[in-house]
Amino acid sequence: MTKVLVATEKPFSKVAVDGIREVTNAAGYELALLEKYTDKGQLLRAVADADALIVRSDKVDADVLAAAKKLKIVVRAGAGFDNLDLSSCTSHNVVAMNTPGQNANSVAELVFGLLVYAVRNFFNGTSGTELKGKRLGILAFGNVGRNVARIAKGFGMEVLAYDAYCPASVIEEAGVKAVPDQETLFEECDIVSLHIPATPETIKSINKPLVARMRKGGILVNTARKEVIDEGGLLSLLQERTDLKYLTDIKPDTDASFKETCEGRYFTTPKKMGAQTAEANANAGVAAARQIVGFLEEGITKFQLNK
Ligand code: 3PG
């Protein structure tokens, strides 16, 4: 019997697991769950007899692939796939996929949760400011960026975006002002929201000279990846520019230093919460299960990453 393993250090909601089970049952597959595991050994043991694997930000590296002798497909139920070792997947003849867009609205809504919290002075009882009329810069106009733009318009914000890979005409068609580069985006906006993936080009690209371009009172929001931030540079800037705020859904490695240096201007969620909604879990989890069935039964490779 074909075995699908869901290995989630940060588990899906019940509704998502039920949805995944419905899809795998209908295909006649067995479903196994490894949730909240605390060490890699548990994952290595669990993948040993799995034909298919569904993960979230769980690392699928060369060790996992070597231990997964029967594995044919791994699906990252989510957008960012920096946790998958794609060349090891290829060398083990494992198809790797993601589920683009499925959790995008959830992440976009969190951006505004973080922003409202920050502009109301973290609900400390003092008068804050509104988002209406402020200029929001979206860095990367993918699925999350587009949802952020849609919601920002509802708040009455002015929306600008830059995406190295998306033509300005596509951005403009969405009713958003396209700017020519990321430097301009930081210069022209009150708030910048990051939606870039972690790639060799973007790692540490959000650095001191770039963020220093922000207007007085600027807010940087990161619901993307901690790796895109040059933490030392950002921390040093926040020490010099006491008007700036940093809000993040991905705790920095140097969280303690940020907390100490930027009291009242820094907030991190304790655990990445962007995609932690029942809807996002169900959308991404069920899409992953369907993609597995589609691949194993019909050879569909639409969202394959290691082509
Ligand atoms: C993604 O890349 O899809 C998001 O960062 C969500 O990640 P998560 O599934 O680990 O919450």
Side-chain angles (χ1 to χ4, degrees):
M1 197 186 221
T2 300
K3 183 169 175 177
V4 178
L5 173 70
V6 175
T8 45
E9 176 272 324
K10 188 173 62 183
F12 286 127
S13 61
K14 185 180 175 310
V15 64
V17 175
D18 289 347
I20 293 169
R21 185 171 287 113
E22 215 173 281
V23 174
T24 52
N25 279 355
Y29 299 170
E30 178 192 345
L31 182 70
L33 293 180
L34 175 70
E35 295 181 318
K36 289 192 192 168
Y37 58 94
T38 46
D39 74 272
K40 193 173 168 181
Q42 291 171 276
L43 178 59
L44 296 182
R45 284 189 292 281
V47 292
D49 60 349
D51 298 280
L53 175 63
I54 297 176
V55 292
R56 295 185 63 178
S57 289
D58 309 77
K59 280 205 165 42
V60 179
D61 59 13
D63 299 338
V64 175
L65 290 153
K69 299 267 180 270
K70 293 175 64 193
L71 198 67
K72 294 160 193 73
I73 176 167
V74 55
V75 184
R76 192 284 191 238
F81 49 88
D82 44 316
N83 54 320
L84 306 182
D85 180 339
L86 291 185
S87 57
S88 283
C89 286
T90 304
S91 57
H92 285 87
N93 283 322
V94 171
V95 165
M97 296 187 186
N98 65 346
T99 65
Q102 299 290 348
N103 58 19
N105 181 65
S106 177
V107 178
E109 286 190 10
L110 185 74
V111 170
F112 293 91
L114 293 170
L115 280 174
V116 170
Y117 184 47
V119 298
R120 297 302 179 101
N121 300 335
F122 304 103
F123 302 151
N124 70 1
T126 63
S127 286
T129 58
E130 299 181 15
L131 293 176
K132 187 178 176 188
K134 303 296 182 301
R135 274 191 165 190
L136 173 70
I138 299 175
L139 186 57
F141 207 62
N143 290 306
V144 181
R146 285 161 211 236
N147 275 284
V148 169
R150 171 181 55 79
I151 300 168
K153 287 185 207 162
F155 272 95
M157 301 181 84
E158 204 183 322
V159 192
L160 288 73
Y162 171 71
D163 189 316
Y165 300 95
C166 176
S169 58
V170 173
I171 294 174
E172 300 273 347
E173 269 162 35
V176 171
K177 184 182 171 204
V179 296
D181 48 48
Q182 58 183 18
E183 286 73 19
T184 310
L185 193 75
F186 275 80
E187 263 159 34
E188 294 197 354
C189 294
D190 302 297
I191 298 164
V192 172
S193 189
L194 305 177
H195 302 291
I196 44 176
T199 64
E201 293 77 45
T202 64
I203 286 172
K204 289 194 193 298
S205 66
I206 308 304
N207 54 26
K208 185 173 179 177
L210 181 65
V211 185
R213 292 173 180 266
M214 288 195 88
R215 293 167 162 199
K216 193 166 178 339
I219 304 176
L220 178 65
V221 193
N222 182 9
T223 55
R225 289 290 181 271
K226 71 175 177 187
E227 290 81 3
V228 303
I229 304 284
D230 173 357
E231 286 187 20
L234 181 60
L235 193 59
S236 148
L237 178 69
L238 289 169
Q239 273 160 345
E240 288 166 24
R241 291 271 310 267
T242 54
D243 58 304
L244 298 178
K245 289 192 177 81
Y246 180 48
L247 315 173
T248 180
D249 186 33
I250 317 94
K251 193 188 279 188
D253 292 332
T254 51
D255 170 54
S257 309
F258 275 90
K259 274 202 179 105
E260 199 183 308
T261 316
C262 318
E263 221 204 308
R265 297 183 293 126
Y266 164 71
F267 175 78
T268 180
T269 53
K271 197 153 202 169
K272 189 156 63 118
M273 294 296 296
Q276 279 297 62
T277 62
E279 294 89 339
N281 288 176
N283 291 343
V286 171
R290 288 197 180 126
Q291 287 171 215
I292 286 170
V293 176
F295 173 68
L296 293 179
E297 303 302 322
E298 296 172 60
I300 298 170
T301 55
K302 183 168 175 203
F303 294 110
Q304 186 172 351
L305 300 164
N306 57 339
K307 273 188 182 162

